Amino acid sequence: MYSRRRYSRHTARPLTAHSDDTPSKPTRWRLPCSLSAKFEGSFAYYTVKDRMPQILTKVIDTVHRNKNKFLEAHGEEGIEAEKKALSFFSKLRNEMQTNKPILPLTDEQPDTQIWNQYLDYQKTLVGSDEEPSWFRSPWLYVECYLYRRIQEGMLLSPPISEYDVFRDVKNESFFQSQQAVVALCAHLQELKGKTNSLSSDDVRGEIYKLLQVSLWGNKCDLSISGGQDNSQRSSVLSSLDDFREFILVDDMNSLWGVLSKNRDGNAESRTRVDIVLDNAGFELVTDLVMADAMLSLNLATEVHFHGKVMPWFVSDTTKHDFDWTVQQCTAVNNKWMSKCGQSWKENLKKGRWVYHQHLFWTLPHEFCTMAEVAPDLYTELQKSDLVLFKGDLNYRKLTGDRKWDFTAPFSQALRSFHPAPLCSIRTLKADVQVGLQAGVGERLMAAEVDWMTSGKYGVIQFSPVV
Ligand SMILES: O=P(O)(O)OC[C@H]1O[C@](O)(CO)[C@@H](O)[C@@H]1O
Ligand SMILES: [Mn+2]
Protein backbone atom coordinates (compact mmCIF):
# COMPACT_ATOMS: atom_id res chain seq x y z
CA MET A 1 0.00 0.00 0.00
CA TYR A 2 2.56 2.61 1.07
CA SER A 3 6.04 2.60 -0.31
CA ARG A 4 8.65 1.33 2.13
CA ARG A 5 11.28 3.78 0.84
CA ARG A 6 13.13 5.84 3.39
CA TYR A 7 11.51 9.24 3.65
CA SER A 8 12.50 12.65 4.84
CA ARG A 9 11.17 13.15 8.37
CA HIS A 10 8.93 16.04 7.49
CA THR A 11 7.89 16.25 3.89
CA ALA A 12 7.55 12.59 2.98
CA ARG A 13 9.99 13.27 0.17
CA PRO A 14 12.64 10.66 -0.22
CA LEU A 15 15.69 11.55 1.85
CA THR A 16 18.31 13.70 0.26
CA ALA A 17 22.02 13.13 0.63
CA HIS A 18 22.14 15.94 3.18
CA SER A 19 19.80 14.49 5.73
CA ASP A 20 21.32 13.42 9.03
CA ASP A 21 19.28 10.22 8.79
CA THR A 22 21.15 8.86 5.82
CA PRO A 23 23.04 5.61 6.28
CA SER A 24 26.27 7.45 5.45
CA LYS A 25 26.11 9.08 8.89
CA PRO A 26 25.74 6.19 11.28
CA THR A 27 24.55 7.02 14.79
CA ARG A 28 26.25 5.25 17.67
CA TRP A 29 23.21 5.45 19.90
CA ARG A 30 19.67 4.32 19.27
CA LEU A 31 17.08 7.00 18.71
CA PRO A 32 14.45 6.47 21.43
CA CYS A 33 10.85 5.94 20.35
CA SER A 34 8.28 8.75 20.44
CA LEU A 35 5.97 9.22 23.39
CA SER A 36 2.53 8.04 22.36
CA ALA A 37 -0.93 7.25 23.70
CA LYS A 38 -0.26 3.69 22.59
CA PHE A 39 1.57 3.34 25.91
CA GLU A 40 -1.47 2.80 28.11
CA GLY A 41 -1.32 4.57 31.43
CA SER A 42 1.26 7.10 30.20
CA PHE A 43 0.63 10.84 30.41
CA ALA A 44 0.25 10.84 26.62
CA TYR A 45 -2.48 8.22 26.90
CA TYR A 46 -4.29 10.17 29.60
CA THR A 47 -3.97 13.37 27.54
CA VAL A 48 -5.42 11.90 24.36
CA LYS A 49 -8.09 10.00 26.24
CA ASP A 50 -9.28 12.70 28.65
CA ARG A 51 -7.64 16.07 28.36
CA MET A 52 -7.85 16.60 24.61
CA PRO A 53 -11.58 15.74 24.43
CA GLN A 54 -12.11 18.02 27.43
CA ILE A 55 -10.41 20.90 25.59
CA LEU A 56 -12.49 20.25 22.48
CA THR A 57 -15.66 20.23 24.57
CA LYS A 58 -14.67 23.66 25.94
CA VAL A 59 -14.18 24.87 22.36
CA ILE A 60 -17.67 23.66 21.49
CA ASP A 61 -19.14 25.46 24.52
CA THR A 62 -17.28 28.65 23.68
CA VAL A 63 -18.45 28.75 20.06
CA HIS A 64 -21.99 28.03 21.18
CA ARG A 65 -21.88 30.70 23.89
CA ASN A 66 -20.82 33.27 21.31
CA LYS A 67 -23.76 32.59 19.01
CA ASN A 68 -25.31 36.00 19.63
CA LYS A 69 -22.04 37.73 18.94
CA PHE A 70 -21.86 35.98 15.56
CA LEU A 71 -25.48 36.91 14.87
CA GLU A 72 -24.83 40.55 15.67
CA ALA A 73 -21.69 40.67 13.55
CA HIS A 74 -22.83 38.64 10.53
CA GLY A 75 -26.60 38.10 10.76
CA GLU A 76 -28.01 34.70 9.78
CA GLU A 77 -24.74 33.81 8.06
CA GLY A 78 -23.04 34.01 11.43
CA ILE A 79 -25.53 31.52 12.90
CA GLU A 80 -25.06 29.15 9.97
CA ALA A 81 -21.29 29.35 10.43
CA GLU A 82 -21.62 28.63 14.14
CA LYS A 83 -23.66 25.50 13.35
CA LYS A 84 -21.13 24.40 10.79
CA ALA A 85 -18.21 24.84 13.20
CA LEU A 86 -20.06 22.99 15.97
CA SER A 87 -20.83 20.03 13.78
CA PHE A 88 -17.19 19.95 12.61
CA PHE A 89 -15.93 19.91 16.19
CA SER A 90 -18.41 17.23 17.34
CA LYS A 91 -17.31 15.03 14.47
CA LEU A 92 -13.67 15.69 15.34
CA ARG A 93 -14.27 14.75 18.97
CA ASN A 94 -15.84 11.52 17.84
CA GLU A 95 -12.92 10.74 15.52
CA MET A 96 -10.52 11.26 18.40
CA GLN A 97 -12.44 9.30 20.99
CA THR A 98 -12.99 6.33 18.71
CA ASN A 99 -9.37 6.32 17.50
CA LYS A 100 -10.20 6.93 13.84
CA PRO A 101 -7.40 7.33 11.29
CA ILE A 102 -5.83 10.78 11.04
CA LEU A 103 -7.37 12.58 8.06
CA PRO A 104 -5.70 14.95 5.61
CA LEU A 105 -6.53 18.64 6.02
CA THR A 106 -9.04 20.00 3.53
CA ASP A 107 -8.49 23.76 3.81
CA GLU A 108 -6.16 25.65 1.55
CA GLN A 109 -3.63 27.37 3.72
CA PRO A 110 0.11 27.85 3.21
CA ASP A 111 0.76 24.96 5.64
CA THR A 112 -1.95 22.53 4.42
CA GLN A 113 0.32 20.64 2.08
CA ILE A 114 3.08 20.37 4.66
CA TRP A 115 0.65 18.84 7.14
CA ASN A 116 -0.64 16.39 4.56
CA GLN A 117 2.88 15.43 3.56
CA TYR A 118 3.67 14.87 7.20
CA LEU A 119 0.69 12.53 7.40
CA ASP A 120 2.15 10.64 4.43
CA TYR A 121 5.41 10.43 6.32
CA GLN A 122 3.59 9.12 9.41
CA LYS A 123 2.04 6.46 7.20
CA THR A 124 5.50 5.19 6.40
CA LEU A 125 6.12 4.64 10.13
CA VAL A 126 3.22 2.28 10.76
CA GLY A 127 2.70 -1.28 9.58
CA SER A 128 1.05 -1.85 6.20
CA ASP A 129 -2.13 -3.02 7.96
CA GLU A 130 -2.34 0.13 10.06
CA GLU A 131 -3.07 3.85 9.60
CA PRO A 132 -1.81 6.76 11.69
CA SER A 133 -4.41 7.33 14.42
CA TRP A 134 -5.02 9.29 17.59
CA PHE A 135 -4.04 6.56 20.03
CA ARG A 136 -1.30 4.92 17.96
CA SER A 137 0.69 7.79 16.45
CA PRO A 138 3.26 9.99 18.25
CA TRP A 139 1.65 12.14 20.90
CA LEU A 140 3.44 15.29 19.71
CA TYR A 141 1.97 14.80 16.24
CA VAL A 142 -1.61 14.10 17.29
CA GLU A 143 -1.72 16.85 19.91
CA CYS A 144 -0.48 19.45 17.40
CA TYR A 145 -2.88 18.01 14.83
CA LEU A 146 -5.82 18.59 17.19
CA TYR A 147 -5.10 22.33 17.29
CA ARG A 148 -4.61 22.48 13.53
CA ARG A 149 -7.94 20.70 13.02
CA ILE A 150 -9.63 23.21 15.31
CA GLN A 151 -8.19 25.90 13.07
CA GLU A 152 -9.47 24.01 10.02
CA GLY A 153 -12.94 23.89 11.58
CA MET A 154 -12.94 27.67 11.93
CA LEU A 155 -11.43 28.28 8.49
CA LEU A 156 -14.16 26.20 6.90
CA SER A 157 -16.80 28.24 8.72
CA PRO A 158 -16.71 31.73 7.22
CA PRO A 159 -17.50 34.45 8.16
CA ILE A 160 -16.44 33.54 11.71
CA SER A 161 -13.08 32.06 10.61
CA GLU A 162 -11.01 34.76 12.30
CA TYR A 163 -12.54 34.13 15.70
CA ASP A 164 -9.97 32.84 18.24
CA VAL A 165 -11.79 30.15 20.24
CA PHE A 166 -9.31 30.57 23.11
CA ARG A 167 -9.30 34.36 23.28
CA ASP A 168 -11.75 34.65 26.15
CA VAL A 169 -9.78 32.30 28.42
CA LYS A 170 -6.49 33.94 27.51
CA ASN A 171 -7.82 37.41 28.32
CA GLU A 172 -9.44 36.19 31.52
CA SER A 173 -6.19 34.65 32.70
CA PHE A 174 -4.43 37.98 32.13
CA PHE A 175 -6.96 39.80 34.28
CA GLN A 176 -6.90 37.11 36.98
CA SER A 177 -3.16 37.56 37.43
CA GLN A 178 -3.33 41.36 37.55
CA GLN A 179 -1.95 41.58 41.09
CA ALA A 180 1.10 39.52 40.20
CA VAL A 181 1.56 41.58 37.03
CA VAL A 182 1.50 44.84 39.00
CA ALA A 183 4.10 43.50 41.45
CA LEU A 184 6.36 42.49 38.59
CA CYS A 185 5.98 45.78 36.74
CA ALA A 186 6.73 47.71 39.94
CA HIS A 187 9.85 45.60 40.44
CA LEU A 188 11.01 46.31 36.91
CA GLN A 189 10.46 50.05 37.18
CA GLU A 190 12.38 50.16 40.44
CA LEU A 191 15.20 48.23 38.86
CA LYS A 192 15.29 50.58 35.88
CA GLY A 193 15.57 53.49 38.26
CA LYS A 194 18.83 52.22 39.71
CA THR A 195 20.64 50.56 36.80
CA ASN A 196 23.59 52.98 36.94
CA SER A 197 24.41 52.13 40.52
CA LEU A 198 24.44 48.36 40.06
CA SER A 199 27.65 46.35 40.19
CA SER A 200 28.16 43.51 37.77
CA ASP A 201 27.22 41.05 40.51
CA ASP A 202 24.03 42.97 41.20
CA VAL A 203 23.14 42.85 37.52
CA ARG A 204 23.78 39.14 37.45
CA GLY A 205 21.55 38.67 40.52
CA GLU A 206 18.77 40.74 38.96
CA ILE A 207 18.73 38.90 35.65
CA TYR A 208 18.82 35.54 37.47
CA LYS A 209 15.71 36.63 39.36
CA LEU A 210 13.87 37.52 36.19
CA LEU A 211 14.93 34.33 34.44
CA GLN A 212 13.39 32.40 37.32
CA VAL A 213 10.23 34.49 37.26
CA SER A 214 9.94 33.71 33.55
CA LEU A 215 10.49 30.03 34.34
CA TRP A 216 7.77 29.83 36.98
CA GLY A 217 5.50 31.94 34.79
CA ASN A 218 5.39 28.85 32.61
CA LYS A 219 3.31 27.06 35.23
CA CYS A 220 0.37 29.14 34.07
CA ASP A 221 -0.54 27.51 30.77
CA LEU A 222 -4.15 26.71 30.12
CA SER A 223 -3.64 23.52 28.17
CA ILE A 224 -2.27 21.52 31.08
CA SER A 225 -5.30 22.59 33.14
CA GLY A 226 -7.71 21.58 30.38
CA GLY A 227 -8.59 25.24 29.79
CA GLN A 228 -9.38 25.90 33.50
CA ASP A 229 -8.15 29.09 35.12
CA ASN A 230 -4.52 28.52 36.13
CA SER A 231 -3.38 32.08 36.67
CA GLN A 232 -0.72 33.49 38.95
CA ARG A 233 -2.34 35.34 41.83
CA SER A 234 0.57 36.17 44.08
CA SER A 235 3.94 37.72 43.40
CA VAL A 236 6.41 35.06 42.30
CA LEU A 237 9.34 37.28 43.20
CA SER A 238 8.99 36.67 46.91
CA SER A 239 8.93 32.87 46.45
CA LEU A 240 12.01 32.43 44.28
CA ASP A 241 14.23 31.15 47.07
CA ASP A 242 11.66 28.54 48.07
CA PHE A 243 11.35 27.35 44.48
CA ARG A 244 15.08 27.16 43.81
CA GLU A 245 15.37 23.50 44.84
CA PHE A 246 12.84 22.56 42.15
CA ILE A 247 15.09 23.73 39.32
CA LEU A 248 16.52 20.42 38.15
CA VAL A 249 18.97 21.87 35.64
CA ASP A 250 20.24 25.36 36.37
CA ASP A 251 22.45 26.70 33.59
CA MET A 252 22.00 30.37 34.46
CA ASN A 253 25.77 30.78 34.76
CA SER A 254 26.14 29.76 31.11
CA LEU A 255 23.49 32.31 30.15
CA TRP A 256 25.40 34.94 32.07
CA GLY A 257 28.48 33.95 30.12
CA VAL A 258 26.68 34.91 26.91
CA LEU A 259 24.82 37.97 28.16
CA SER A 260 27.63 39.61 30.12
CA LYS A 261 29.66 39.85 26.91
CA ASN A 262 27.46 42.70 25.80
CA ARG A 263 28.10 44.63 29.03
CA ASP A 264 31.82 44.03 28.69
CA GLY A 265 31.89 44.90 24.99
CA ASN A 266 32.34 48.36 23.46
CA ALA A 267 29.49 50.78 22.78
CA GLU A 268 29.05 49.50 19.24
CA SER A 269 28.79 45.84 20.16
CA ARG A 270 25.41 44.27 19.46
CA THR A 271 23.80 41.35 21.24
CA ARG A 272 20.63 39.83 19.93
CA VAL A 273 18.43 37.65 22.11
CA ASP A 274 15.51 35.71 20.64
CA ILE A 275 12.60 34.51 22.75
CA VAL A 276 10.42 31.78 21.31
CA LEU A 277 7.28 32.63 23.23
CA ASP A 278 4.88 30.28 24.88
CA ASN A 279 1.77 31.32 26.78
CA ALA A 280 -0.07 34.63 26.81
CA GLY A 281 -1.33 35.97 30.15
CA PHE A 282 1.03 36.12 33.11
CA GLU A 283 3.81 34.14 31.40
CA LEU A 284 3.98 36.62 28.53
CA VAL A 285 4.31 39.49 31.00
CA THR A 286 7.21 37.71 32.71
CA ASP A 287 8.89 37.37 29.30
CA LEU A 288 8.34 41.03 28.44
CA VAL A 289 9.72 42.10 31.81
CA MET A 290 12.78 39.89 31.32
CA ALA A 291 13.28 41.26 27.80
CA ASP A 292 12.98 44.84 29.02
CA ALA A 293 15.51 44.18 31.78
CA MET A 294 17.95 42.67 29.28
CA LEU A 295 17.97 45.94 27.36
CA SER A 296 17.95 48.16 30.45
CA LEU A 297 20.78 46.26 32.12
CA ASN A 298 22.79 46.43 28.92
CA LEU A 299 22.85 42.66 28.46
CA ALA A 300 21.29 42.81 25.01
CA THR A 301 20.77 45.45 22.36
CA GLU A 302 17.80 43.85 20.63
CA VAL A 303 15.19 41.24 21.53
CA HIS A 304 13.26 39.31 18.92
CA PHE A 305 10.01 37.56 19.88
CA HIS A 306 8.52 34.60 18.03
CA GLY A 307 4.80 33.89 18.28
CA LYS A 308 2.18 31.59 16.79
CA VAL A 309 0.22 32.24 13.60
CA MET A 310 -2.93 30.60 14.94
CA PRO A 311 -4.59 29.78 18.27
CA TRP A 312 -2.44 27.01 19.70
CA PHE A 313 -2.39 24.77 22.78
CA VAL A 314 -5.09 26.98 24.30
CA SER A 315 -2.94 29.74 25.75
CA ASP A 316 -0.06 30.25 23.31
CA THR A 317 0.71 33.79 22.22
CA THR A 318 -0.45 35.07 18.83
CA LYS A 319 0.33 38.50 17.37
CA HIS A 320 -3.06 39.67 18.56
CA ASP A 321 -2.33 38.48 22.13
CA PHE A 322 1.06 40.17 22.08
CA ASP A 323 -0.31 43.53 20.92
CA TRP A 324 -3.32 43.22 23.21
CA THR A 325 -1.11 42.60 26.25
CA VAL A 326 1.14 45.57 25.55
CA GLN A 327 -1.91 47.74 24.95
CA GLN A 328 -3.65 46.55 28.13
CA CYS A 329 -0.59 47.38 30.19
CA THR A 330 -0.40 50.83 28.63
CA ALA A 331 -4.06 51.61 29.20
CA VAL A 332 -4.56 50.24 32.68
CA ASN A 333 -5.00 52.55 35.62
CA ASN A 334 -1.81 51.58 37.42
CA LYS A 335 1.33 53.65 37.15
CA TRP A 336 3.77 50.70 37.14
CA MET A 337 1.92 48.77 34.50
CA SER A 338 1.30 51.75 32.29
CA LYS A 339 4.95 52.79 32.50
CA CYS A 340 5.92 49.30 31.36
CA GLY A 341 3.33 49.33 28.58
CA GLN A 342 4.63 52.69 27.32
CA SER A 343 8.26 51.66 27.24
CA TRP A 344 7.36 48.36 25.54
CA LYS A 345 5.49 50.28 22.83
CA GLU A 346 8.53 52.46 22.45
CA ASN A 347 10.83 49.44 22.16
CA LEU A 348 8.67 48.06 19.37
CA LYS A 349 8.53 51.39 17.59
CA LYS A 350 12.28 51.90 17.77
CA GLY A 351 13.04 48.33 16.60
CA ARG A 352 14.76 47.33 19.84
CA TRP A 353 12.02 44.73 20.08
CA VAL A 354 10.93 42.87 16.96
CA TYR A 355 7.98 40.51 16.71
CA HIS A 356 8.16 37.60 14.25
CA GLN A 357 5.76 34.88 13.29
CA HIS A 358 6.43 31.77 11.28
CA LEU A 359 4.18 28.84 10.52
CA PHE A 360 6.90 26.38 11.50
CA TRP A 361 6.01 26.95 15.16
CA THR A 362 2.55 25.51 14.54
CA LEU A 363 3.72 22.46 12.64
CA PRO A 364 4.12 19.08 14.36
CA HIS A 365 7.79 18.82 13.47
CA GLU A 366 10.66 18.23 15.85
CA PHE A 367 13.03 21.18 15.78
CA CYS A 368 15.84 19.05 14.37
CA THR A 369 14.00 19.29 11.04
CA MET A 370 13.84 23.09 11.02
CA ALA A 371 16.89 23.62 8.82
CA GLU A 372 15.23 21.50 6.16
CA VAL A 373 11.54 22.40 6.59
CA ALA A 374 11.94 26.10 7.37
CA PRO A 375 15.46 27.13 6.29
CA ASP A 376 14.49 30.81 6.38
CA LEU A 377 13.59 30.56 10.06
CA TYR A 378 16.75 28.61 10.82
CA THR A 379 18.80 31.31 9.12
CA GLU A 380 16.99 33.98 11.12
CA LEU A 381 17.78 32.21 14.39
CA GLN A 382 21.41 31.88 13.35
CA LYS A 383 21.63 35.67 13.61
CA SER A 384 20.96 35.42 17.32
CA ASP A 385 23.44 35.35 20.18
CA LEU A 386 21.03 33.45 22.38
CA VAL A 387 17.69 31.79 21.67
CA LEU A 388 15.43 31.21 24.67
CA PHE A 389 12.73 28.58 24.18
CA LYS A 390 9.89 29.08 26.58
CA GLY A 391 7.70 26.31 27.83
CA ASP A 392 7.03 22.65 27.75
CA LEU A 393 5.87 22.18 24.17
CA ASN A 394 9.05 23.81 22.88
CA TYR A 395 11.05 21.40 25.05
CA ARG A 396 9.13 18.48 23.58
CA LYS A 397 9.96 19.71 20.09
CA LEU A 398 13.59 20.38 20.98
CA THR A 399 14.02 16.82 22.22
CA GLY A 400 11.63 15.22 19.72
CA ASP A 401 9.24 14.16 22.53
CA ARG A 402 11.01 10.86 22.91
CA LYS A 403 11.72 8.37 25.64
CA TRP A 404 15.23 9.59 26.32
CA ASP A 405 17.25 8.42 29.29
CA PHE A 406 17.23 11.12 31.94
CA THR A 407 21.01 11.39 31.65
CA ALA A 408 21.15 11.68 27.85
CA PRO A 409 23.03 14.90 26.99
CA PHE A 410 20.79 17.79 25.89
CA SER A 411 22.96 18.31 22.79
CA GLN A 412 22.34 14.69 21.77
CA ALA A 413 18.57 15.05 22.15
CA LEU A 414 18.71 18.22 20.02
CA ARG A 415 19.96 16.08 17.11
CA SER A 416 21.92 18.76 15.24
CA PHE A 417 19.52 21.57 16.02
CA HIS A 418 22.04 24.25 16.88
CA PRO A 419 21.19 27.51 15.12
CA ALA A 420 22.76 29.52 17.98
CA PRO A 421 23.47 29.09 21.69
CA LEU A 422 20.09 28.12 23.06
CA CYS A 423 18.31 27.60 26.34
CA SER A 424 15.06 25.97 27.33
CA ILE A 425 13.17 27.65 30.16
CA ARG A 426 10.45 25.22 31.01
CA THR A 427 8.41 23.69 33.80
CA LEU A 428 7.96 19.96 33.37
CA LYS A 429 4.52 19.08 32.03
CA ALA A 430 5.31 16.10 29.82
CA ASP A 431 7.31 12.98 30.50
CA VAL A 432 10.45 13.88 28.66
CA GLN A 433 13.60 15.09 30.37
CA VAL A 434 17.28 14.91 29.48
CA GLY A 435 20.53 16.16 30.93
CA LEU A 436 19.95 15.18 34.56
CA GLN A 437 22.72 14.07 36.88
CA ALA A 438 22.84 10.30 37.33
CA GLY A 439 20.26 9.08 39.84
CA VAL A 440 18.20 12.29 40.01
CA GLY A 441 15.41 11.07 37.72
CA GLU A 442 15.21 7.72 39.48
CA ARG A 443 15.08 9.38 42.91
CA LEU A 444 12.25 11.69 41.84
CA MET A 445 10.43 8.83 40.17
CA ALA A 446 10.41 6.93 43.43
CA ALA A 447 9.29 9.92 45.48
CA GLU A 448 6.66 11.65 43.30
CA VAL A 449 4.79 9.84 40.59
CA ASP A 450 3.82 13.00 38.75
CA TRP A 451 7.10 14.94 39.01
CA MET A 452 7.39 15.15 35.21
CA THR A 453 3.91 16.49 34.59
CA SER A 454 2.84 18.56 37.59
CA GLY A 455 4.69 21.77 36.64
CA LYS A 456 6.33 21.77 40.08
CA TYR A 457 9.82 21.23 38.63
CA GLY A 458 11.62 23.30 36.07
CA VAL A 459 14.78 23.57 34.01
CA ILE A 460 16.89 26.40 32.66
CA GLN A 461 18.86 24.21 30.31
CA PHE A 462 21.53 25.62 28.02
CA SER A 463 23.26 24.26 24.97
CA PRO A 464 26.13 26.09 23.26
CA VAL A 465 26.60 25.84 19.51
CA VAL A 466 28.43 22.58 18.88
O1 LIG B 1 2.38 25.82 27.52
P1 LIG B 1 3.42 24.77 27.58
O2 LIG B 1 4.37 24.95 28.71
O3 LIG B 1 4.10 24.52 26.28
O4 LIG B 1 2.67 23.47 27.96
C1 LIG B 1 1.77 22.89 27.13
C2 LIG B 1 1.73 21.55 27.63
O5 LIG B 1 0.44 21.18 27.92
C3 LIG B 1 0.36 19.88 27.57
O6 LIG B 1 -0.16 19.92 26.30
C4 LIG B 1 -0.48 19.01 28.20
O7 LIG B 1 -0.85 18.11 27.24
C5 LIG B 1 1.78 19.47 27.68
O8 LIG B 1 2.00 18.22 27.51
C6 LIG B 1 2.24 20.46 26.77
O9 LIG B 1 3.50 20.28 26.43
MN1 LIG C 1 1.68 26.77 25.79
Side-chain angles (χ1 to χ4, degrees):
M1 181 162 78
Y2 303 114
S3 156
R4 295 282 114 198
R5 283 175 77 179
R6 283 172 56 77
Y7 277 89
S8 155
R9 285 186 304 274
H10 50 86
T11 57
R13 284 195 306 266
L15 282 167
T16 66
H18 306 296
S19 166
D20 61 0
D21 257 2
T22 47
S24 59
K25 264 197 184 175
T27 43
R28 264 164 282 123
W29 42 273
R30 256 176 87 84
L31 184 63
C33 68
S34 302
L35 301 177
S36 165
K38 72 181 169 200
F39 301 111
E40 270 188 49
S42 66
F43 189 64
Y45 173 75
Y46 159 68
T47 300
V48 178
K49 182 174 148 301
D50 296 338
R51 293 180 41 253
M52 285 164 45
Q54 194 184 328
I55 283 168
L56 200 42
T57 302
K58 284 229 161 65
V59 169
I60 292 172
D61 290 349
T62 305
V63 171
H64 188 60
R65 226 188 17 249
N66 279 282
K67 192 173 171 179
N68 285 339
K69 205 175 186 173
F70 301 143
L71 178 66
E72 274 164 36
H74 311 286
E76 272 310 307
E77 257 190 280
I79 296 292
E80 284 311 310
E82 179 245 9
K83 278 194 208 143
K84 199 169 173 197
L86 288 184
S87 108
F88 184 98
F89 295 142
S90 306
K91 197 169 152 284
L92 176 60
R93 186 172 52 186
N94 181 269
E95 283 169 31
M96 180 162 57
Q97 290 183 310
T98 54
N99 193 29
K100 290 281 183 311
I102 301 293
L103 301 174
L105 296 175
T106 59
D107 53 32
E108 284 171 11
Q109 294 298 305
D111 63 346
T112 306
Q113 217 195 343
I114 307 177
W115 274 94
N116 291 343
Q117 284 172 337
Y118 197 76
L119 171 57
D120 289 340
Y121 159 66
Q122 287 293 330
K123 287 177 179 171
T124 68
L125 301 182
V126 296
S128 54
D129 53 344
E130 230 190 297
E131 296 236 42
S133 64
W134 294 88
F135 281 84
R136 303 292 304 165
S137 291
W139 173 32
L140 178 61
Y141 172 44
V142 299
E143 196 170 16
C144 291
Y145 174 76
L146 166 66
Y147 290 93
R148 183 58 180 82
R149 285 292 302 276
I150 293 174
Q151 179 69 355
E152 182 192 30
M154 295 308 291
L155 288 167
L156 296 178
S157 308
I160 63 167
S161 306
E162 292 301 306
Y163 178 71
D164 178 345
V165 292
F166 302 122
R167 183 160 301 155
D168 294 350
V169 282
K170 284 188 274 194
N171 292 357
E172 227 170 86
S173 115
F174 175 83
F175 292 123
Q176 299 284 6
S177 56
Q178 188 103 334
Q179 240 181 301
V181 170
V182 169
L184 200 52
C185 290
H187 176 84
L188 176 67
Q189 292 306 329
E190 249 173 59
L191 176 63
K192 288 171 77 160
K194 60 179 184 192
T195 47
N196 290 336
S197 61
L198 297 177
S199 69
S200 188
D201 272 353
D202 294 336
V203 170
R204 177 207 287 249
E206 291 299 336
I207 201 64
Y208 281 15
K209 263 188 221 165
L210 295 178
L211 283 163
Q212 290 171 77
V213 169
S214 169
L215 165 66
W216 299 120
N218 179 244
K219 269 188 182 176
C220 304
D221 87 272
L222 295 169
S223 124
I224 193 80
S225 57
Q228 297 288 7
D229 174 32
N230 194 16
S231 42
Q232 181 68 37
R233 290 195 162 70
S234 56
S235 166
V236 209
L237 277 158
S238 52
S239 318
L240 293 181
D241 288 344
D242 300 335
F243 289 167
R244 194 77 189 230
E245 63 177 301
F246 303 123
I247 304 182
L248 300 177
V249 179
D250 177 355
D251 288 337
M252 285 194 287
N253 288 345
S254 305
L255 292 184
W256 178 251
V258 175
L259 294 169
S260 57
K261 279 197 196 121
N262 192 65
R263 270 182 81 79
D264 301 340
N266 58 39
E268 273 84 58
S269 71
R270 307 204 57 75
T271 299
R272 167 173 166 171
V273 173
D274 284 57
I275 305 180
V276 182
L277 294 170
D278 187 6
N279 304 303
F282 181 68
E283 181 173 359
L284 176 58
V285 176
T286 67
D287 298 334
L288 298 175
V289 166
M290 176 175 65
D292 187 331
M294 282 177 179
L295 297 185
S296 311
L297 297 170
N298 202 11
L299 299 171
T301 48
E302 51 189 287
V303 179
H304 292 243
F305 299 94
H306 300 264
K308 307 292 194 292
V309 290
M310 68 182 80
W312 195 247
F313 278 69
V314 187
S315 39
D316 283 17
T317 306
T318 61
K319 172 89 168 73
H320 180 280
D321 299 324
F322 187 91
D323 293 341
W324 182 89
T325 305
V326 172
Q327 177 54 29
Q328 281 299 316
C329 290
T330 313
V332 89
N333 187 16
N334 174 280
K335 72 169 176 179
W336 305 120
M337 272 177 80
S338 62
K339 264 192 153 189
C340 284
Q342 275 153 17
S343 65
W344 298 345
K345 268 195 176 162
E346 197 66 13
N347 284 343
L348 288 163
K349 210 163 109 195
K350 296 261 166 69
R352 295 189 288 254
W353 280 7
V354 183
Y355 185 90
H356 301 251
Q357 47 187 9
H358 196 289
L359 56 76
F360 181 80
W361 305 119
T362 47
L363 290 175
H365 298 60
E366 305 171 35
F367 289 164
C368 63
T369 68
M370 184 192 286
E372 211 181 334
V373 183
D376 55 332
L377 179 60
Y378 196 84
T379 306
E380 187 62 42
L381 294 184
Q382 282 180 313
K383 297 177 195 160
S384 187
D385 295 286
L386 176 65
V387 187
L388 302 176
F389 287 90
K390 287 299 315 284
D392 192 66
L393 179 62
N394 277 329
Y395 193 81
R396 292 172 60 192
K397 289 183 164 187
L398 284 165
T399 58
D401 211 34
R402 293 170 182 278
K403 289 191 174 192
W404 292 102
D405 286 344
F406 297 137
T407 52
F410 188 30
S411 62
Q412 180 179 323
L414 288 167
R415 298 178 66 210
S416 307
F417 178 69
H418 289 294
L422 63 88
C423 183
S424 160
I425 300 181
R426 158 257 186 173
T427 57
L428 279 64
K429 288 175 280 185
D431 33 17
V432 54
Q433 182 59 54
V434 296
L436 296 185
Q437 296 291 328
V440 172
E442 289 71 16
R443 183 173 50 73
L444 285 163
M445 202 61 125
E448 287 173 59
V449 245
D450 63 344
W451 69 279
M452 297 184 91
T453 53
S454 62
K456 173 177 166 185
Y457 292 91
V459 295
I460 299 180
Q461 193 162 20
F462 177 78
S463 176
V465 182
V466 288

